[in-house]
């Protein structure tokens, strides 16, 4: 019997999830950043800025930005590590990587950035390759999240850190019912009219609900070997930034 997992609220075979997630991001790649601005009213830029601040990125470091397809985190990290450092932008989806490569070329960012098509569950890098690993709004789309966290831990240098920026569970009083209305009624409509893709954004709303809550993800990071794990709730817990270290 094939192993099952969830694709949004559906139960599907593992192989089918990977294929369908790829289809979602093939579909949304060209409008991904535009939809991020529309969906979050621009607040995603503040979430990402906070994540960048928590990386502690310094000149000469080597940083892996996973699910970094469109390159918005990678562009900022490349400035922080400077010409003696390197940012590797990894994404499982070729369409997203293509969009990111074109955008960074347009900005003149080429010297210290490379793009690698990579599955987070089995990263194609040697042990202890990176000073920092970031993954923003990508972990919830990974089929085996525990396996991916273990792979990231393997690739971190001692003293390195991981930052996971992801949608989470609202904790502010009264926020959840409003967030549900927004997610399941307004978000698919925005996808329909802005990105011409209602189904993909319905999946994205469902995938957020299936993602582990703040404390569960913290426990998973600790199981993967990370230490001093903590999280920061942003915008009432709609998004959380988790941070952990490898010692």
């Amino acid at each position: 019997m094939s192993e099952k997992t969830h694709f949004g609220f559906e139960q599907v075979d593992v192989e089918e999830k990977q294929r369908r997630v790829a289809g979602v991001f093939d579909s949304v790649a060209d409008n991904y950043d535009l939809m991020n601005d529309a969906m979050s009213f621009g607040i995603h830029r503040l979430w990402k800025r906070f994540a960048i601040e928590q990386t502690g990125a310094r000149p000469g470091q080597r940083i892996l930005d996973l699910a970094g397809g469109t390159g918005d985190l990678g562009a900022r990290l490349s400035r922080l590590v400077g010409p003696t450092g390197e940012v590797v932008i990894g994404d499982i989806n070729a369409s997203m990587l293509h969009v990111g490569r074109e955008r960074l070329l347009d900005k003149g960012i080429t010297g210290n950035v490379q793009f690698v098509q990579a599955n987070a569950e089995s990263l194609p890098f040697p042990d202890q390759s990176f000073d920092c690993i970031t993954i923003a709004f990508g972990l919830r789309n990974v089929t085996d999240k525990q396996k991916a966290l273990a792979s990231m831990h393997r690739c971190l240098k001692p003293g390195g850190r991981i930052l996971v920026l992801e949608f989470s569970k609202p904790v502010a009083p009264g926020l959840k019912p409003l967030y549900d209305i927004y997610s399941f009624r307004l978000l698919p409509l925005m996808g329909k009219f802005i990105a011409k893709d209602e189904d993909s954004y319905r999946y994205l709303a469902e995938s957020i609900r299936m993602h582990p809550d703040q404390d569960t993800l913290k426990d998973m990071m600790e199981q993967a070997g990370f230490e001093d794990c903590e999280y920061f709730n942003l915008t009432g817990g709609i998004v959380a930034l988790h941070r952990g270290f490898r010692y």
Side-chain angles (χ1 to χ4, degrees):
M1 178 179 284
S2 297
E3 187 180 352
K4 296 287 186 179
T5 188
H6 56 81
F7 176 81
F9 292 160
E10 286 184 67
Q11 285 288 312
V12 298
D13 292 342
V14 166
E15 293 78 9
E16 184 179 354
K17 174 173 180 171
Q18 293 170 347
R19 180 181 61 77
R20 290 174 69 174
V21 168
V24 166
F25 286 94
D26 284 341
S27 175
V28 305
D30 288 336
N31 293 300
Y32 187 75
D33 286 340
L34 175 64
M35 274 298 294
N36 280 346
D37 278 328
M39 288 188 303
S40 71
F41 308 103
I43 299 173
H44 77 102
R45 297 175 184 274
L46 299 179
W47 298 332
K48 290 171 180 173
R49 184 183 303 168
F50 180 68
I52 293 287
E53 290 169 356
Q54 295 301 317
T55 64
R58 301 189 307 276
Q61 288 191 327
R62 191 164 189 247
I63 297 180
L64 172 63
D65 179 32
L66 280 174
T70 58
D72 51 351
L73 258 69
R76 300 178 215 187
L77 290 167
S78 75
R79 290 192 288 270
L80 293 174
V81 302
T84 60
E86 182 181 40
V87 176
V88 178
I89 297 175
D91 203 299
I92 197 171
N93 187 272
S95 298
M96 297 288 282
L97 284 172
H98 175 75
V99 169
R101 186 181 288 109
E102 293 299 311
R103 289 185 179 167
L104 265 60
L105 281 172
D106 288 345
K107 294 177 181 178
I109 301 172
T110 57
N112 64 349
V113 177
Q114 67 165 304
F115 291 81
V116 176
Q117 190 167 3
N119 185 336
E121 296 176 22
S122 52
L123 293 171
F125 307 108
D127 294 355
Q128 303 181 15
S129 296
F130 298 98
D131 298 286
C132 179
I133 296 177
T134 60
I135 179 166
F137 305 112
L139 186 61
R140 73 180 187 280
N141 297 307
V142 175
T143 302
D144 191 332
K145 297 171 181 61
Q146 194 65 60
K147 190 175 179 182
L149 289 168
S151 186
M152 292 180 222
H153 184 270
R154 178 186 65 77
C155 291
L156 264 186
K157 296 177 183 178
R161 69 182 73 184
I162 181 177
L163 280 302
V164 181
L165 183 66
E166 189 54 90
F167 291 106
S168 201
K169 299 296 185 284
V171 294
L175 182 57
K176 186 179 184 302
L178 295 174
Y179 186 49
D180 284 345
I181 291 170
Y182 168 76
S183 298
F184 295 112
R185 296 185 186 177
L186 296 181
L187 185 56
L189 285 176
M190 292 167 70
K192 179 179 180 180
F193 290 110
I194 296 174
K196 306 297 187 287
D197 188 346
E198 182 176 356
D199 290 343
S200 289
Y201 283 92
R202 181 173 291 107
Y203 158 73
L204 291 175
E206 293 177 359
S207 72
I208 291 168
R209 295 309 187 279
M210 300 302 292
H211 187 66
D213 66 18
Q214 288 91 323
D215 287 315
T216 302
L217 181 54
K218 179 174 177 282
D219 290 344
M220 291 172 67
M221 290 172 64
E222 290 170 346
Q223 289 172 33
F226 294 105
E227 299 181 57
D228 289 344
C229 297
E230 60 181 329
Y231 61 82
F232 308 88
N233 282 319
L234 308 176
T235 316
I238 287 175
V239 164
L241 177 69
H242 283 70
R243 183 179 65 186
F245 295 84
R246 175 177 180 172
Y247 295 133

